[in-house]
C-alpha cells in the first residue's frame, strides 16, 4: 500500500498538504494524480455560459486546457448529465423534469481542474 496523505515536504521540494489518488504515492505523484494540493492554483472558471432552450441532448465545445476539464452544471428544472467525447467536446443530456414552473436554463462553468 502506498502513502496517500502527506503534511510536509514532497520529493519535489514543495511544502503543504497533499492527498493522492488511489494507487499513487503522494510523495512522488504528478500534480494530475493528486486529489488535493495546497500548492495547486485555486479553482478558476475558464469559461461559462447559459444554454436555453435546453433540448434533450446538445454539444458543448470546451476550451482546450490540455485535459477534460471539470464542468459545474446548474439547472433548476432538469437533472443534467455530461458525457465527454474528447478534451474539447462534451454533450449535455437532459433527464428528469422537476416541474414546468422551474427555470429551464442550464448554467455551466468550465474549471481549470481535470475531470477524473
Amino acid at each position: 500500500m502506498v502513502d496517500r496523505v502527506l503534511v510536509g515536504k514532497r520529493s519535489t521540494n514543495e511544502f503543504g498538504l497533499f492527498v493522492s489518488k488511489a494507487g499513487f504515492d503522494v510523495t512522488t505523484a504528478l500534480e494530475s494524480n493528486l486529489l488535493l494540493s495546497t500548492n495547486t492554483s485555486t479553482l478558476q472558471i475558464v469559461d461559462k455560459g447559459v444554454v436555453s432552450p435546453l433540448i434533450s441532448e446538445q454539444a458543448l465545445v470546451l476550451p482546450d486546457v490540455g485535459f477534460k476539464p471539470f464542468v459545474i452544471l446548474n439547472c433548476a428544472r432538469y437533472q443534467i448529465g455530461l458525457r465527454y467525447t474528447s478534451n474539447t467536446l462534451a454533450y449535455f443530456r437532459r433527464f428528469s423534469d422537476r416541474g414546468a414552473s422551474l427555470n429551464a436554463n442550464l448554467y455551466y462553468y468550465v474549471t481549470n481542474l481535470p475531470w477524473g
Side-chain angles (χ1 to χ4, degrees), residues 21 32-33 35 68 70 113-116:
K21 293 180 181 178
S32 61
N33 292 321
L35 296 173
K68 293 176 186 170
F70 180 72
L113 301 176
W115 170 254

Side-chain angles (χ1 to χ4, degrees), residues 37-52:
S37 170
T38 54
N39 294 335
T40 302
S41 58
T42 58
L43 172 70
Q44 296 174 346
I45 303 300
V46 296
D47 193 19
K48 64 181 181 174
V50 179
V51 177
S52 181

Side-chain angles (χ1 to χ4, degrees), residues 67-89:
F67 49 81
K68 293 176 186 170
F70 180 72
V71 179
I72 300 167
L73 304 172
N74 181 24
C75 183
R77 182 170 175 179
Y78 299 107
Q79 180 181 1
I80 304 296
L82 186 67
R83 176 178 54 90
Y84 291 92
T85 56
S86 72
N87 288 353
T88 58
L89 185 63

Side-chain angles (χ1 to χ4, degrees), residues 7-115:
V7 177
K9 184 178 178 182
R10 287 183 2 114
S11 62
T12 56
N13 291 324
E14 300 172 288
F15 286 89
L17 169 63
F18 308 93
V19 178
S20 66
K21 293 180 181 178
F24 292 93
D25 185 332
V26 71
T27 60
T28 57
L30 297 174
E31 191 76 25
S32 61
N33 292 321
L34 294 177
L35 296 173
L36 172 68
S37 170
T38 54
N39 294 335
T40 302
S41 58
T42 58
L43 172 70
Q44 296 174 346
I45 303 300
V46 296
D47 193 19
K48 64 181 181 174
V50 179
V51 177
S52 181
L54 183 61
I55 57 177
S56 62
E57 184 172 82
Q58 61 195 94
L60 171 65
V61 177
L62 303 167
D64 189 357
V65 293
F67 49 81
K68 293 176 186 170
F70 180 72
V71 179
I72 300 167
L73 304 172
N74 181 24
C75 183
R77 182 170 175 179
Y78 299 107
Q79 180 181 1
I80 304 296
L82 186 67
R83 176 178 54 90
Y84 291 92
T85 56
S86 72
N87 288 353
T88 58
L89 185 63
Y91 287 86
F92 293 118
R93 182 151 186 209
R94 184 178 79 190
F95 293 102
S96 60
D97 189 333
R98 296 181 182 130
S101 63
L102 298 172
N103 185 337
N105 292 342
L106 170 66
Y107 300 90
Y108 66 89
Y109 306 89
V110 181
T111 73
N112 63 333
L113 301 176
W115 170 254

